[in-house]
């Protein structure tokens, strides 16, 4: 079992220093294979690549179509239109709430996290300037709206972190709605009030808005935005077809993409470049996650895995606790919510499903806890979305990571603990 932990440490350390998981994961898997007595070449060409290819085969259409949907929403201005309209309703005096709500609506509507960051940042800059709030809080505000409750907690979310558990637990995107809603309330309310507290604290110290240095000042151009209500339609289409009509997520995303193009037919010349960019961007995302899943497949094959399983399954109390620990630790190790969850469920998903069948705990509860737990330690400093957020906003880890840690790591972990506790005492 030492080899498994050594492989995880290598994976975590190399990911933390910025090395790509695409080639780091096979190295870590090789360490696990060697220490576990497997043939190194066979472990890579057969075991590792089987896990890699099977995940890519199952999920590439969702990754690609989701990226295309998000890119079309961005390039047509629809994402910006939704964000601007929501902040107008909420008002500039509540700038943090406006940015948070804009990011949340876009994410829950199926727009990818990276696209949301690009779409919301110009708006956040404008609102924080008008409200005279320190730019240090922009990364955490966007992270709260895009990386937390809409990604993992609110039932019906089309984000991949809510979809991956379906294959392992025979569930749908609406799994365990009460559990998800309670966790979402804890994340959203807890994160918002923390950011308001930080806003007052910074303002009292004289730390207020300053214009970005060495960054182009982005102004929000509202004149060329599409109609707000029309811009909402593709988001609603994906959600309704997925959760009400129970369409496959692939079909739901295609419906959303087609509607975007129909509503923006006068911009047809830009469709192909947007689709090309979205499709190309999805390749890196699916390969990163597939690489992590391949690592999990190798772990499952070594003798030490049985001992590791016994330890995890032997955690006292509700078996949801061991699932939460496994997913959180692996998400932190890989710096990826989907990657960490992919490793955990590829290795342990069948075990947890069997526990659900044997104990009477709903498989939906295991689905929701897996999804919620993927959104905890994933947002450690080496997470790709966190690094992108800092690159776009011009902030640094020193400036803003503490606040991201609270809203995207600490509070989500607390929310998981609360819902497991409520489930353990029979309230859920």
């Amino acid at each position: 079992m030492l080899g498994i932990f050594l492989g995880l440490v290598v994976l975590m350390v190399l990911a933390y220093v910025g090395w790509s998981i695409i080639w780091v994961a096979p190295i870590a898997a090789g360490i696990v294979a060697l220490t576990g007595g497997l043939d190194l070449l066979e472990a890579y060409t057969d075991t590792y690549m089987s896990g890699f290819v099977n995940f890519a085969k199952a999920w590439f259409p969702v990754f690609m179509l989701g990226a295309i949907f998000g890119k079309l929403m961005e390039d047509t201005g629809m994402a910006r239109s939704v964000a601007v309209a929501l902040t107008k309703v909420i008002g500039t005096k509540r700038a943090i709430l406006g940015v948070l709500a804009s990011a949340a609506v876009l994410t829950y509507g199926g727009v990818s996290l990276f696209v949301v960051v690009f779409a919301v940042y110009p708006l956040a800059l404008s609102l924080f300037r008008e409200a005279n709030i320190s730019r240090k809080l922009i990364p955490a505000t966007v992270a709260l709206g895009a990386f937390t409750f809409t990604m993992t907690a609110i039932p019906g979310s089309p984000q991949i972190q809510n979809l991956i558990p379906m294959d392992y637990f025979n569930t749908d995107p609406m799994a365990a709605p009460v559990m998800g809603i309670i966790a979402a309330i804890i994340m959203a309310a807890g994160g918002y009030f923390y950011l308001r507290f930080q806003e007052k604290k910074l303002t009292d110290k004289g730390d207020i808005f300053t214009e970005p240095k060495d960054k182009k000042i982005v102004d929000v151009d509202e004149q060329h935005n599409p109609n707000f209500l029309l811009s909402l339609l593709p988001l609603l289409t994906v959600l309704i077809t997925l959760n009400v009509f129970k369409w496959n997520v692939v079909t739901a995303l295609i419906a959303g993409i087609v509607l975007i193009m129909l509503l923006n037919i006068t911009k047809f010349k830009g469709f192909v470049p947007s689709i090309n960019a979205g499709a190309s961007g999805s390749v890196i995302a699916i390969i990163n996650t597939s690489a992590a899943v391949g690592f999990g497949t190798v772990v499952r094959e070594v003798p030490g895995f049985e001992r590791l399983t016994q330890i995890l399954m032997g955690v006292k109390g509700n078996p949801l606790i061991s699932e939460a620990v496994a997913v959180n630790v692996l998400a932190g190790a890989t710096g990826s919510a989907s990657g960490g969850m992919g490793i955990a469920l590829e290795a342990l998903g069948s075990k947890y499903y069997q526990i659900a069948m044997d104990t009477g705990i709903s498989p939906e509860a295991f689905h929701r806890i897996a999804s919620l737990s993927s959104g905890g330690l994933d947002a450690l400093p080496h997470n790709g979305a966190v690094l992108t957020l800092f690159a776009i906003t011009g902030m640094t880890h020193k400036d803003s990571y503490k606040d991201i840690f609270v809203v995207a790591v600490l509070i989500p972990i607390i929310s998981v603990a609360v819902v497991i506790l409520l489930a353990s005492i029979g309230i859920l």
Side-chain angles (χ1 to χ4, degrees):
M1 200 169 66
L2 179 63
I4 296 176
F5 288 116
L6 183 59
L8 276 173
V9 169
V10 169
L11 186 69
M12 179 171 62
V13 171
L14 297 184
Y16 184 82
V17 298
W19 294 12
S20 172
I21 196 171
I22 295 173
W23 63 273
V24 166
I27 291 174
I31 293 171
V32 174
L34 278 176
T35 55
L38 303 182
D39 179 84
L40 185 59
L41 185 60
E42 184 179 341
Y44 177 67
T45 59
D46 184 17
T47 308
Y48 177 87
M49 288 308 301
S50 293
F52 183 107
V53 170
N54 288 339
F55 185 87
K57 177 184 175 182
W59 291 103
F60 180 67
V62 178
F63 274 75
M64 183 185 70
L65 292 170
I68 291 172
F69 176 80
K71 190 62 178 171
L72 284 170
M73 283 290 294
E74 178 187 12
D75 290 352
T76 58
M78 284 184 147
R80 184 174 61 250
S81 176
V82 171
V84 170
L86 285 171
T87 54
K88 278 187 175 180
V89 172
I90 294 171
T92 55
K93 290 184 178 179
R94 292 182 289 274
I96 289 176
L97 183 60
V99 174
L100 162 62
S102 300
V105 168
L106 291 172
T107 310
Y108 189 62
V111 179
S112 73
L113 312 184
F114 292 95
V115 170
V116 169
V117 173
F118 281 101
V120 170
Y121 173 60
L123 181 72
L125 198 62
S126 176
L127 287 173
F128 276 54
R129 180 187 293 122
E130 190 165 343
N132 205 23
I133 300 172
S134 173
R135 286 189 301 116
K136 292 178 181 177
L137 293 179
I138 291 180
T141 304
V142 176
L144 176 59
F147 302 172
T148 61
F149 60 97
T150 51
M151 183 178 84
T152 64
I154 300 182
S157 173
Q159 295 297 329
I160 195 72
Q161 292 80 4
N162 185 47
L163 302 178
I164 289 176
M166 295 192 305
D167 284 354
Y168 296 94
F169 300 114
N170 295 321
T171 49
D172 61 34
M174 292 295 292
V178 176
M179 186 178 281
I181 290 170
I182 290 173
I185 291 171
I186 293 171
M187 289 187 223
Y192 175 67
F193 287 117
Y194 168 79
L195 290 174
R196 288 303 305 269
F197 169 78
Q198 286 295 96
E199 175 195 346
K200 184 178 186 304
K201 183 178 175 182
L202 289 171
T203 302
D204 289 346
K205 291 196 307 183
D207 193 341
I208 53 178
F209 185 86
T210 56
E211 294 295 348
K213 295 179 180 178
D214 302 322
K215 288 277 179 182
K216 181 181 177 182
I217 297 175
V218 185
D219 291 315
V220 179
D221 179 11
E222 299 181 29
Q223 294 182 348
H224 299 94
N225 284 346
N227 179 272
F228 164 63
L229 294 177
L230 292 180
S231 298
L232 271 180
L233 288 179
L235 305 178
L236 293 174
T237 297
V238 172
L239 286 172
I240 292 171
T241 54
L242 179 64
N243 296 297
V244 177
F245 297 114
K246 303 297 181 182
W247 289 11
N248 184 281
V249 64
V250 170
T251 314
L253 286 169
I254 290 174
I257 289 168
V258 170
L259 186 56
I260 292 172
M261 293 192 290
L262 289 175
L263 293 174
N264 294 277
I265 195 65
T266 57
K267 302 176 182 177
F268 69 92
K269 290 183 179 179
F271 290 165
V272 171
S274 295
I275 293 171
N276 285 343
S280 298
S282 71
V283 173
I284 293 296
I286 185 70
I287 290 179
N288 280 338
T289 306
S290 297
V293 170
F295 172 81
T297 307
V298 174
V299 168
R300 193 176 58 187
E301 293 299 314
V302 298
F305 174 68
E306 282 302 317
R307 178 60 185 147
L308 179 62
T309 302
Q310 291 171 8
I311 292 172
L312 285 171
M313 298 304 172
V315 172
K316 299 294 183 183
N318 196 313
L320 296 173
I321 297 172
S322 68
E323 184 190 36
V325 171
V327 175
N328 248 308
V329 169
L330 291 167
T334 58
S336 165
S338 57
M341 178 164 48
I343 294 174
L345 295 185
E346 184 65 23
L348 297 166
S350 60
K351 301 280 186 184
Y352 287 119
Y353 185 72
Q354 189 58 50
I355 289 175
M357 296 296 99
D358 294 342
T359 62
I361 298 175
S362 171
E364 291 194 2
F366 282 97
H367 170 132
R368 185 55 54 202
I369 291 301
S371 182
L372 289 170
S373 300
S374 74
L377 292 178
D378 69 307
L380 290 176
H382 59 296
N383 174 271
V386 171
L387 296 174
T388 300
L389 190 52
F390 285 145
I392 293 169
T393 60
M395 294 289 103
T396 65
H397 284 77
K398 182 180 179 181
D399 292 327
S400 304
Y401 182 72
K402 178 188 72 173
D403 299 319
I404 289 180
F405 179 83
V406 172
V407 302
V409 177
L410 181 60
I411 294 176
I413 289 175
I414 291 172
S415 75
V416 175
V418 169
V419 295
I420 290 177
L421 176 62
L422 293 177
S424 298
I425 60 179
I427 294 178
L428 294 180

